[in-house]
Each structure stands twice: as structure tokens, then as C-alpha cells.
């Protein structure tokens, strides 16, 4: 497909070359930037026009395509001399960062500063792609002598639209509802975007949370190229609420401790240059507030942890801005204004970077020279270990995607901070181990992604505060303060041996890949069983959850199984008999069939679009299993007898609280259905008499009574402290240790611990008539910010449970086990909820 895109670019560039003259956006499009929204295909055409008519200054490349097939582009703009040696500049820059494999000496003197500008990562923040066209034109415009001077010292990389699918979703909607003349009244329908909105990509993922994890195709393709360039300055262009003035760097606290004094300093230098132009025009702006530099997967922090000056710029107007809107101050804000503001900061950033190019390059080189010596690293070695090869394989994949070097280690007698206990203890190596040294070019990025606890200089942060890879990927880990010699290129791998035709087969079920194998087999109509209890065959123990595939009823199944085993890296074991040494034989009541579920996912207005998108993407892209997306407002008209599983994501849909809907769901579950509720979906069920109860719900009523008895002095609070006063009730995202009952099918494949990401203070009372599968005890906090009041509440409660309800089941999952698709260790838990829980002794036909 990339070849097709390149052919398209070449072909259209050839057509445009006949035009001979470089045109401004207004001349090319037929309208002034900001007077209309430009669809993505026209943006692509304009950049083709620029490339065809400014061949000495610009090169256009396609680096990929979106889920919906739209091209992803990069424009490289430089002086004529620098454009001719563009790849040499790139390779030399990698040498400056100690990342080049050729080991040749880097040339610092005379090296241009590299500035990367990323526009429109959120589709309904559309002014930035309009500004991308204006910015590119001003850099190429023969009449603009200033920009030609800047290009002598800089190479500019422009990504005109990171999220074309989301942008076109927004633009096409807006153009379909707006009249001939824009309506600036905020109450007009053109200022009220319908669900799910254009912010996210095709699968409703926020691409500005995906830089480090790269779960989305747009991110993977972009970061691959980004890491081949490693720019010195990166700007991520956004929009915020239309009543807010413009925001540019310097950023707000908290800054992560790995951020260097130079990175802080030059943010301020750029900010002052931006302010110069805004002051001259009388435009309002703010700095040092709201937008921090902590969570590592943003378009400002990811570049920052990779040696860049990473920044977010925010213009007022996203989603509800339309072509024009009246702000709360009575001012008219237009798309023309918004695009002009972004164009101004883009050019200002290039200007000040070019003026300081020598210092920028020097500090960039210093950053990576310090990195290879582990400067500022508390921990010098990270060891991640597991008995499951596929878990370590998944860890190595995310390290590879981020260019982090690793090896393995076999040395005994080491001590380090154990992630599960947060105490110093001897390192216990398991079957598969990956080790990461802090003495490497991407040392700071490795530290941020792997450190057990990230230090917060300010608790009022914008996003989650714990994300360490060992917790997210469910592997044992140790952080060591000593430098340890690391060998090889990672954990060893063992070849899968094909099985021959036999009575049956056993498949270990201990990782997400085992669940993917399960899905692959049932999609091939293979009849599957699983063991509810441990058993022994030929002196080898097999754990509960082990998949059982019998030849009877599955003709030539060994060929299908061998294909699946190779694909998912799991070694099956052939068996010659159904008679076990110990434990249940294959005809035992403890051996259950796995029924092929028919799944419905509630979506639409009132449902969290990110939450629904995570589940949709999980089935569609990771499992390859069909799921029907049902609009929640159609729930009363759906024939639920056609489905065996209904999934309720995080939501606030009022229709789900209606008595008739609740009765409909209860009748369906009683008749044998399985209802899976996540996050706010669990809270919703707790309010509708399903048998689960929010812990402390009665206490809140008592608190209101007690408030009346309190002294009036308790109500005296300072307005200026209102944000700080809210922190005791705040939990933006912290890691807790969950105790698991792994004898229950919901927890098959796990040991007795699961690390969960908590984002609210909802804890539930233990089920009286159900199974309390995952719960937290008194001292289960591990990492991340948790307010004092929240921490006091976060104990002795249920997070994951299963309730038998008539002939059916309800699965409660209070936390998001698929969070942004990077919480890898939760995926098996979700698969168990869908495919393992509630299976009977015989196949059920639906």
C-alpha cells in the first residue's frame, strides 16, 4: 500500500508541475485559510503542489496510511544545499545521538538544527492542519527572505495531519450541518459535535496518548520515522476550549526529573520569542500552567525524553469553535484567527531555533553523551523476568519500538528493589529474562518507562502517574543501583515443535497469546475444552485453564493446531489417552467446553468513546473475533436472544438506568446470558440492585448528616487553594496490587497477583452471592499519586467479581483492564471474562 501512495504522490506531483508557479494556499484552494475547513485530500493535494513547484527546497514522503486508507505524509523543507544532503544530515544526527551503527565520528560544527512540527493529532482540533499549509508556504515563498535565512541553519519536518481519519470525521460532519454563513452562537448545532467526535482515530483512540506504546497503526508508522531522525525541537499543535487564550511553553509542573536544565531553559527562550509576536498583535496567551511534562506518551514528553525540546501549543477552539464563535468575553473567535495564531508560533519557533542552531545541536549531543554514561540515573540496571516466554517477548517488542537496547543476564547473587514488594531483596531469575542497562543512548527514555516509581514535583498533574512496564506487562522485575554486565540480545527463544496426529492435545494457558490461540481455534470451528483444576499427565503437571483439544469431532485438528502454535509461540503437548495420572480425566465434570460466544458491545451517546474504542480495537485488531457494536439508544429494540455476551463499557448513558431496560437485561441474564460490565458500567449496575454494592455508599449519606453538626469554621476555605484542596480526593492513575483467586476461570493463567491501574476511588463490597475473584487489601498500594482520602478508602474491597444470576452470569471489572491497549497484563483477564467464565458441561447452540 505504501508503494501505491508513493505512486499517487509521484503522479500528482507530475501533474502539478505543469502549473510551474508556487501558489499560496488561498490561490490553490480558492479560499482564504480559515474561511472554510479543508478536507484532508485537499491538504494532500496542496502539499503535492508545494513539492512539485519547490523541488530545490522541499521533499514530500509518505510514511504510511491510516485505518481508513488515508495517506500519512512528511514534508522536509531545507535550503537547497541541505536538501541535497538530507540523508547525510539525518545519519550525522544519529551519530550525534550515539545511535548510528556505523560508529563514524559525528560532525557538530555546521550541523543544522532539526525542527519537527506535528499538526492535528486530534481530529476535531482542526485549525492546525490549516496552519500547516500556511507555515509550509511561508517557508517556501520566494518573497519571504526571512524564512530563507532560517533554512540556512535548520531542517524543518512538517507532518500536516497526524490523524486524517479523525479530521475528516469532524470536517465532513461540520460541513454537513453548517449553513452558507457560519453561526457564531455557541448554542447552534454546528458547535455541538455528535458521538464519538473527531478527536480520536478510527478506533476511537487518542493518538496523543500513544507515542510510547504505539498500539495504533498511525503511531507505529510515525515513530519509526521519528526515531530515524531524532529532531532537536518538536512541537505538537493542539486546540483547547474556545474560551481559553493561547498556550505555549514553558510547561507547567510537574516536570519529570530526567528533564535537563537546558530543556527547561530553551522552552523559555522559545516562549519569549512567541510572546514577542503575540504581544505585538495584542493576542492573549498563558504559559507555565495546566500542561505538564510527566506522562511519557504525549507529543511533548516523548520527544523530550528522547533529547528534544518537546512542547505543546494550544489554541482555543477545539470541537465547538466552528468557523466562528462568540467567547464568554463577548469576543468573536474565528478559524482565521486560530490558524493565524498557530502559523505564528510555528514560524517563531523555527526562527528562534535557527538563531540558536549551534547551541541547540551542541546541547543535543551533550544530552546523549550524558545518557551513555547513565547521568542522573538512580537505577543502573533493570531486570524483568518471567516463566512465560511470550510475556518477555511482548516486553522486548515495546523496547524495540522505542529503540531501547537490552540483553539478558544469568548472574546469580544480585540484589535489587523488587517491584512487587517495593523492598530490596535477592533477584530471583525465572525461565526468561531481559535486562536493560542505563548506560545507553536512550537511557532517560528507558528510565522513565521502567522505573518502579516516578517522582512527582507537583501532584496536580494532567494524566496517569504510574505506567511502569513491569506492572503493565505483568512480569517480575528488579531495579538495581549497580551497573551489571548484560549479554546477548534478549531472552532466549525456543523453537515450536509440531505435534503429530494423536488422541488429543494439551495447550498451556498462561498468557494473552494463549487466549489469542484459543480464539484462532474456535474461529476455525475447533471444539475446545479446558480443565477447571490442575492435573498430571505422564508425570508433568498442567495448570487449571489448560486447553484440551481432542481428535474426536476435530478431524485433522493437528494441522490447525500446529499453525496456531507457530503463530502464537505456544508449544502444545500430544496425549495418547484421556486417562490422567492425577486429577480429572477428559470426561470429568471438571473439564468444561468452551462455547463460541456471540458478542454485543454497547456504544453511542453516553458511552465513553475511548473505552468502547479500546474494546472494539481489541476484538477487531488483536483477537480477530467478530463483535456487534450496538447503539445504546437502540437497546430497547434489539433482539438480545441473538447474543450470548453483552459488554457494557464505562458510560453515563441515562437509558441504561431506565427500569424497563434493567428488567430486560436481568431477564436476558437469568435466561443464560453473560453480562460484562467495566468501570462506570459496574457503578451503574450497583445502583440498580444487581447484587453488587459500592463500598461507602451509605457512609456518604451519614457524612451529610454529620456535616450539619460541624463547626462553621470547617467551611472556611481559600478560593486560591481550591485546586490543592481537591487533591486528597484525587487519583489520576495509580498502581495497586490485586489479590486473585486464580482457581476461578476469570483468573486462569495468572498467579495470585494482578497489578491494576486505578483511576477512581470506587471500591465494592465483597459479593455475598458470588465470587470475589480480585480484591485489594489494606497495604496494596504500589506506585503513582493517590490522594490521602482516596488512599484511606482503597482497601478491603472488591474490584473483579463474578455473580451467577439465574442461568447466566455477571462479570464485574471495576478497572479498565484494556487501558489504552498498553496495559498488556489485563488482556488475558478480559479474554477470560468473555471466553472462560460461565461455560457449561456441554456445547450450547445459539
Amino acid at each position: 500500500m505504501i508503494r501505491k501512495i508513493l505512486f499517487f504522490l509521484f503522479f500528482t506531483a507530475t501533474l502539478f508541475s505543469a502549473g510551474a508557479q508556487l501558489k499560496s494556499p488561498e490561490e490553490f484552494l480558492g479560499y482564504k485559510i480559515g474561511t472554510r475547513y479543508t478536507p484532508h485530500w485537499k491538504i494532500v493535494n496542496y502539499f503535492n503542489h508545494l513539492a512539485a513547484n519547490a523541488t530545490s527546497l522541499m521533499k514530500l514522503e509518505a510514511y504510511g496510511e491510516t485505518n481508513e486508507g488515508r495517506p500519512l505524509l512528511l514534508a522536509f523543507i531545507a535550503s537547497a544545499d541541505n536538501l541535497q544532503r538530507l540523508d547525510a544530515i539525518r545519519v550525522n544526527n544519529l551519530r550525534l545521538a550515539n545511535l548510528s551503527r556505523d560508529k563514524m565520528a559525528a560532525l557538530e560544527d555546521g550541523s543544522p538544527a532539526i525542527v519537527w512540527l506535528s499538526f492535528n493529532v486530534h481530529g476535531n482540533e482542526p485549525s492546525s492542519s490549516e496552519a500547516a499549509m500556511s507555515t509550509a508556504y511561508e517557508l517556501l515563498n520566494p518573497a519571504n527572505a526571512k524564512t530563507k535565512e532560517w533554512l540556512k541553519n535548520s531542517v524543518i519536518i512538517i507532518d500536516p495531519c497526524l490523524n486524517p481519519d479523525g479530521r475528516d470525521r469532524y470536517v465532513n460532519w461540520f460541513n454537513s450541518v453548517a449553513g452558507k454563513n457560519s453561526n457564531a452562537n455557541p448554542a447552534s448545532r454546528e458547535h455541538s459535535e455528535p458521538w464519538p467526535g473527531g478527536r480520536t482515530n478510527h478506533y476511537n483512540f487518542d493518538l496523543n496518548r500513544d507515542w510510547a506504546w504505539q498500539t495504533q497503526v498511525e503511531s507505529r508508522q510515525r515513530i519509526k520515522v521519528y526515531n530515524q531522525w531524532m529532531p532537536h525541537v518538536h512541537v505538537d499543535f493542539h486546540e483547547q476550549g474556545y474560551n481559553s487564550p493561547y498556550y505555549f511553553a514553558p510547561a507547567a509542573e510537574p516536570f519529570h526529573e530526567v528533564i535537563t536544565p537546558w530543556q527547561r531553559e530553551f522552552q523559555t527562550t522559545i516562549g519569549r520569542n512567541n510572546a514577542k509576536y503575540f504581544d505585538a498583535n495584542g493576542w492573549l496567551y498563558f504559559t507555565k500552567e495546566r500542561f505538564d511534562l510527566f506522562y511519557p506518551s504525549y507529543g511533548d514528553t516523548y520527544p523530550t525524553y528522547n533529547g528534544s525540546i518537546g512542547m505543546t501549543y494550544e489554541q482555543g477552539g477545539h470541537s465547538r469553535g466552528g468557523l466562528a464563535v462568540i467567547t464568554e468575553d463577548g469576543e468573536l473567535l474565528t478559524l482565521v484567527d486560530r490558524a493565524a495564531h498557530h502559523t505564528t508560533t510555528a514560524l517563531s519557533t523555527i526562527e528562534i531555533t535557527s538563531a540558536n542552531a549551534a547551541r541547540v545541536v551542541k546541547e543535543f549531543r551533550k544530552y546523549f553523551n550524558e545518557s551513555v554514561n547513565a547521568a542522573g540515573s538512580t537505577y543502573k540496571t533493570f531486570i524483568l523476568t518471567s516463566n512465560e516466554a511470550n510475556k518477555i517477548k511482548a516486553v522486548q517488542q515495546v523496547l524495540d519500538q522505542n529503540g531501547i537496547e537490552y540483553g539478558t543476564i544469568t548472574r546469580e547473587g544480585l540484589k535489587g528493589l523488587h517491584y512487587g514488594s517495593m523492598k530490596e531483596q535477592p533477584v530471583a531469575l525465572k525461565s526468561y529474562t531481559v535486562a536493560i542497562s542505563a548506560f545507553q543512548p536512550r537511557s532517560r527514555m528507558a528510565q522513565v518507562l521502567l522505573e518502579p516509581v516516578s517522582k512527582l514535583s507537583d501532584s496536580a498533574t494532567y494524566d496517569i502517574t504510574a505506567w511502569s512496564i513491569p506492572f503493565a506487562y505483568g512480569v517480575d522485575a528488579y531495579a538495581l543501583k549497580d551497573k551489571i554486565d548484560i549479554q546477548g540480545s534478549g531472552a532466549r527463544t525456543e523453537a515450536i515443535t509440531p505435534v503429530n496426529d494423536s488422541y488429543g492435545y494439551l495447550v498451556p494457558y498462561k498468557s494473552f497469546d494463549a487466549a489469542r490461540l484459543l480464539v484462532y481455534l474456535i474461529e476455525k470451528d475447533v471444539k475446545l475444552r479446558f480443565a477447571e483444576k490442575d492435573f498430571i499427565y505422564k508425570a508433568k503437571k498442567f495448570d487449571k485453564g489448560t486447553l484440551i483439544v481432542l481428535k474426536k469431532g476435530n478431524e485433522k485438528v493437528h494441522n490447525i493446531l500446529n499453525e496456531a502454535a507457530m503463530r502464537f509461540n505456544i508449544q502444545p503437548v500430544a496425549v495418547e489417552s484421556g486417562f490422567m495420572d492425577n486429577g480429572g480425566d477428559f470426561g470429568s465434570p471438571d473439564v468444561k467446553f468452551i462455547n463460541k460466544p456471540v458478542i454485543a458491545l454497547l456504544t453511542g451517546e453516553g458511552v465513553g468513546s475511548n473505552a468502547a474504542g479500546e474494546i472494539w480495537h481489541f476484538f477487531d485488531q488483536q483477537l480477530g473475533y467478530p463483535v456487534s457494536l450496538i447503539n445504546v439508544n437502540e437497546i430497547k429494540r434489539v433482539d438480545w436472544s441473538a447474543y450470548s455476551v453483552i459488554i457494557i463499557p464505562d458510560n453515563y448513558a441515562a437509558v441504561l438506568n431506565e427500569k424497563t431496560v434493567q428488567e430486560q437485561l436481568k431477564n436476558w441474564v437469568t435466561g443464560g446470558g453473560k453480562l460484562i460490565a467495566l468501570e462506570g458500567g459496574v457503578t451503574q449496575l450497583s445502583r440498580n440492585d444487581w447484587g453488587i454494592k459500592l463500598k461507602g455508599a451509605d457512609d456518604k449519606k451519614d457524612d451529610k448528616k454529620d456535616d450539619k453538626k460541624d463547626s462553621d469554621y470547617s467551611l472556611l476555605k481559600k478560593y486560591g487553594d481550591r485546586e490543592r484542596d481537591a487533591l486528597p480526593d484525587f487519583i489520576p492513575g495509580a498502581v495497586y496490587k490485586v489479590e486473585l483467586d486464580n482457581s476461578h476461570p476469570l483468573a486462569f493463567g495468572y498467579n495470585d497477583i494482578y497489578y491494576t491501574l486505578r483511576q477512581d476511588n470506587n471500591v465494592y463490597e465483597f459479593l455475598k452471592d458470588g465470587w470475589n475473584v480480585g480484591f485489594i487489601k489494606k497495604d496494596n498500594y504500589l506506585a503513582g499519586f493517590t490522594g490521602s482520602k482516596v488512599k484511606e478508602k482503597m482497601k478491603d474491597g472488591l474490584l473483579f467479581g463474578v455473580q451467577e444470576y439465574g442461568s447466566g452470569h455477571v462479570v464485574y471489572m471495576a478497572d479498565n483492564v484494556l487501558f489504552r491497549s498498553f496495559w498488556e497484563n489485563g488482556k488475558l483477564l478480559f479474554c477470560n471474562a468473555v471466553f472462560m467464565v460461565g461455560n457449561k458441561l456441554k456445547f450450547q447452540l445459539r
Side-chain angles (χ1 to χ4, degrees):
M1 185 56 72
I2 298 297
R3 289 181 180 176
K4 291 181 181 178
I5 295 172
L6 289 173
F7 173 78
F8 165 75
L9 293 177
F10 174 77
F11 179 70
T12 51
T14 303
L15 290 177
F16 286 133
S17 65
Q21 295 297 319
L22 187 72
K23 295 181 179 180
S24 69
E26 183 173 355
E27 291 170 329
F28 183 85
L29 297 170
Y31 54 86
K32 181 181 178 181
I33 284 289
T35 57
R36 296 185 195 174
Y37 280 121
T38 308
H40 183 255
W41 67 270
K42 284 190 176 181
I43 296 172
V44 171
N45 283 354
Y46 183 64
F47 272 86
N48 274 298
H49 163 77
L50 295 178
N53 291 280
T55 56
S56 64
L57 299 179
M58 176 177 160
K59 178 182 178 183
L60 190 65
E61 290 185 359
Y63 68 85
E65 67 174 7
T66 68
N67 287 292
E68 297 175 18
R70 295 180 176 87
L72 296 165
L73 307 178
L74 286 176
F76 297 87
I77 301 176
S79 67
D81 289 342
N82 283 337
L83 195 70
Q84 285 185 337
R85 60 187 191 96
L86 194 62
D87 197 61
I89 291 172
R90 180 189 67 81
V91 172
N92 183 67
N93 194 57
L94 294 180
R95 292 175 188 147
L96 290 169
N98 301 307
L99 289 168
S100 176
R101 293 181 178 179
D102 62 19
K103 305 302 179 185
M104 293 179 64
L107 300 175
E108 181 182 315
D109 293 340
S111 294
I114 300 171
V115 179
W116 186 306
L117 305 177
S118 292
F119 295 92
N120 221 156
V121 68
H122 291 150
N124 62 2
E125 300 175 8
S127 69
S128 62
S129 281
E130 310 290 343
M133 292 186 283
S134 299
T135 301
Y137 175 72
E138 290 304 326
L139 292 172
L140 299 171
N141 182 3
N144 193 329
K146 281 187 177 181
T147 59
K148 305 311 168 295
E149 285 298 313
W150 303 343
L151 293 180
K152 292 178 180 179
N153 301 319
S154 59
V155 170
I156 314 304
I157 305 173
I158 293 177
D159 189 330
C161 188
L162 278 69
N163 182 11
D165 293 351
R167 177 183 175 83
D168 271 4
R169 189 185 315 133
Y170 174 80
V171 170
N172 291 338
W173 164 77
F174 182 87
N175 290 339
S176 74
V177 298
K180 178 181 178 182
N181 299 312
S182 60
N183 189 330
N185 178 2
S188 175
R189 71 172 182 170
E190 65 199 67
H191 300 287
S192 183
E193 186 184 12
W195 195 96
R199 176 184 177 91
T200 52
N201 77 344
H202 175 79
Y203 286 103
N204 302 343
F205 268 74
D206 188 331
L207 295 178
N208 194 39
R209 297 338 187 239
D210 195 45
W211 280 70
W213 315 120
Q214 297 164 51
T215 69
Q216 301 302 294
V217 65
E218 297 92 343
S219 303
R220 288 192 295 275
Q221 294 170 125
R222 182 179 69 255
I223 301 300
K224 182 179 180 181
V225 181
Y226 183 95
N227 284 333
Q228 292 170 359
W229 273 94
M230 300 295 286
H232 308 141
V233 174
H234 179 268
V235 183
D236 194 22
F237 290 86
H238 286 265
E239 292 192 84
Q240 54 188 325
Y242 64 81
N243 288 312
S244 295
Y246 200 97
Y247 162 84
F248 47 75
E253 292 287 349
F255 280 62
H256 195 284
E257 62 180 341
V258 303
I259 297 173
T260 67
W262 159 252
Q263 289 174 311
R264 290 171 177 256
E265 175 191 332
F266 200 62
Q267 273 206 3
T268 302
T269 300
I270 293 172
R272 290 189 184 280
N273 204 59
N274 291 340
K276 176 180 69 177
Y277 291 103
F278 273 59
D279 290 341
N281 285 284
W283 298 336
L284 290 178
Y285 57 89
F286 68 99
T287 65
K288 303 181 289 294
E289 297 179 78
R290 196 175 299 170
F291 302 101
D292 59 66
L293 288 175
F294 196 64
Y295 173 66
S297 206
Y298 284 129
D300 53 8
T301 50
Y302 186 86
T304 297
Y305 300 145
N306 278 289
S308 183
I309 310 300
M311 297 170 292
T312 289
Y313 292 172
E314 294 267 357
Q315 164 63 46
H318 83 83
S319 179
R320 302 183 69 88
L323 290 177
V325 66
I326 302 294
T327 69
E328 62 186 6
D329 295 331
E331 299 287 336
L332 180 68
L333 176 67
T334 67
L335 181 61
V336 172
D337 300 328
R338 291 151 57 193
H341 297 164
H342 268 332
T343 302
T344 300
T345 54
L347 294 172
S348 167
T349 299
I350 295 168
E351 176 190 42
I352 193 66
T353 302
S354 176
N356 291 274
R359 177 81 189 279
V360 168
V361 173
K362 180 180 179 181
E363 292 290 344
F364 178 81
R365 187 177 194 182
K366 178 183 175 184
Y367 181 97
F368 286 97
N369 284 342
E370 291 176 346
S371 293
V372 295
N373 292 302
S377 247
T378 302
Y379 299 106
K380 308 303 183 187
T381 309
F382 299 93
I383 299 174
L384 285 65
T385 187
S386 174
N387 286 325
E388 297 310 311
N390 283 338
K391 286 192 173 186
I392 294 299
K393 182 181 177 183
V395 168
Q396 291 179 168
Q397 181 179 344
V398 75
L399 296 176
D400 285 336
Q401 288 173 330
N402 289 289
I404 295 171
E405 299 170 0
Y406 58 85
T408 191
I409 199 165
T410 56
R411 180 176 161 186
E412 300 290 340
L414 298 172
K415 279 192 173 184
L417 181 76
H418 182 241
Y419 283 57
S421 65
M422 289 298 172
K423 295 178 181 178
E424 193 84 6
Q425 63 187 61
V427 173
L429 297 179
K430 297 183 177 179
S431 302
Y432 305 93
T433 299
V434 61
I436 302 96
S437 173
F439 294 83
Q440 64 168 296
R442 288 193 170 91
S443 175
R444 290 178 170 96
M445 188 78 239
Q447 180 180 329
V448 172
L449 293 181
L450 292 164
E451 62 190 355
V453 178
S454 298
K455 292 182 182 177
L456 272 167
S457 60
D458 190 324
S459 301
T461 183
Y462 197 68
D463 210 303
I464 65 171
T465 55
W467 52 76
S468 186
I469 284 175
F471 296 135
Y473 282 68
V475 297
D476 220 2
Y478 302 84
L480 285 65
K481 294 183 178 180
D482 299 320
K483 180 181 180 181
I484 307 298
D485 289 334
I486 292 173
Q487 306 90 36
S489 57
R492 61 184 171 82
T493 56
E494 297 171 351
I496 300 300
T497 303
V499 291
N500 296 319
D501 191 17
S502 187
Y503 171 84
Y505 312 91
L506 303 174
V507 182
Y509 190 82
K510 297 181 179 179
S511 68
F512 171 49
D513 283 291
R516 294 173 68 202
L517 181 146
L518 179 158
V519 171
Y520 181 86
L521 293 180
I522 63 174
E523 276 291 88
K524 298 283 186 179
D525 294 321
V526 174
K527 296 180 175 64
L528 281 179
R529 297 166 170 83
F530 69 89
E532 273 203 328
K533 295 181 180 179
D534 299 345
F535 63 94
I536 296 174
Y537 175 74
K538 286 192 174 181
K540 182 179 179 180
K541 181 187 173 186
F542 290 86
D543 294 332
K544 59 188 79 68
T546 296
L547 303 180
I548 301 170
V549 186
L550 300 183
K551 180 179 178 180
K552 185 177 181 181
N554 291 311
E555 299 305 320
K556 297 182 180 180
V557 72
H558 73 283
N559 292 327
I560 299 173
L561 182 58
N562 282 330
E563 291 171 8
M566 296 295 290
R567 176 177 292 199
F568 301 111
N569 193 42
I570 296 174
Q571 180 63 60
V573 176
V575 295
E576 300 163 0
S577 169
F579 189 90
M580 299 296 102
D581 301 354
N582 197 354
D585 301 322
F586 290 168
S588 166
D590 293 330
V591 173
K592 303 291 176 64
F593 286 102
I594 297 176
N595 292 289
K596 188 175 182 178
V598 182
I599 305 168
L601 169 65
L602 298 187
T603 64
E605 202 70 48
V607 174
S609 60
N610 293 138
E614 287 160 357
I615 298 170
W616 177 27
H617 178 267
F618 183 72
F619 281 109
D620 207 37
Q621 290 290 326
Q622 298 178 62
L623 290 184
Y625 193 84
V627 59
S628 296
L629 277 59
I630 306 296
N631 191 323
V632 70
N633 290 325
E634 302 290 320
I635 194 169
K636 296 178 184 177
R637 291 189 283 271
V638 174
D639 177 13
W640 292 114
S641 65
Y643 302 95
S644 56
V645 175
I646 299 174
I647 301 172
I648 304 179
D650 191 29
N651 77 91
Y652 50 92
V655 67
L656 289 177
N657 291 316
E658 292 183 14
K659 185 177 180 180
T660 55
V661 172
Q662 287 294 315
E663 288 177 354
Q664 184 182 14
L665 284 174
K666 288 177 180 178
N667 289 336
W668 174 82
V669 175
T670 301
K674 179 163 56 182
L675 186 65
I676 302 173
L678 297 93
E679 302 182 271
V682 179
T683 308
Q684 204 162 40
L685 296 186
S686 74
R687 295 171 180 156
N688 287 282
D689 300 322
W690 280 82
I692 190 168
K693 187 175 181 182
L694 188 64
K695 192 175 180 184
D698 293 334
D699 295 340
K700 291 180 181 179
K701 298 176 183 177
D702 294 336
D703 287 344
K704 291 180 181 179
K705 296 177 182 177
D706 292 340
D707 284 345
K708 297 177 182 179
K709 301 176 183 178
D710 288 344
S711 166
D712 288 343
Y713 293 114
S714 67
L715 303 176
L716 298 180
K717 299 178 181 179
K718 288 188 176 182
Y719 178 78
D721 294 337
R722 63 194 183 281
E723 290 186 5
R724 298 282 159 205
D725 289 342
L727 289 179
D729 297 304
F730 187 46
I731 177 169
V735 174
Y736 276 76
K737 186 191 306 182
V738 176
E739 315 278 335
L740 286 181
D741 170 13
N742 62 6
S743 70
H744 192 282
L746 182 60
F748 281 173
Y750 291 87
N751 57 27
D752 56 1
I753 294 295
Y754 170 76
Y755 300 118
T756 194
L757 184 68
R758 299 249 64 209
Q759 294 180 274
D760 60 39
N761 63 1
N762 290 336
V763 179
Y764 297 87
E765 294 183 1
F766 295 126
L767 296 172
K768 295 179 181 178
D769 298 311
W771 302 104
N772 299 288
V773 181
F775 48 88
I776 50 176
K777 293 184 177 178
K778 184 176 182 181
D779 298 316
N780 281 24
Y781 165 81
L782 284 172
F785 177 75
T786 304
S788 56
K789 291 183 180 179
V790 176
K791 190 174 286 188
E792 178 62 27
K793 183 179 178 181
M794 210 70 66
K795 59 185 180 183
D796 302 325
L798 175 73
L799 296 182
F800 305 108
V802 177
Q803 179 183 6
E804 295 175 10
Y805 205 95
S807 298
H809 294 78
V810 184
V811 181
Y812 303 109
M813 310 186 89
D815 287 339
N816 185 357
V817 294
L818 301 179
F819 181 71
R820 294 178 185 166
S821 197
F822 87 84
W823 208 259
E824 197 73 16
N825 197 35
K827 293 176 181 178
L828 179 61
L829 203 64
F830 186 77
C831 286
N832 288 347
V834 174
F835 297 102
M836 289 292 203
V837 171
N839 285 298
K840 306 296 183 181
L841 294 178
K842 60 183 179 180
F843 282 101
Q844 296 173 345
L845 299 177
R846 283 185 177 270

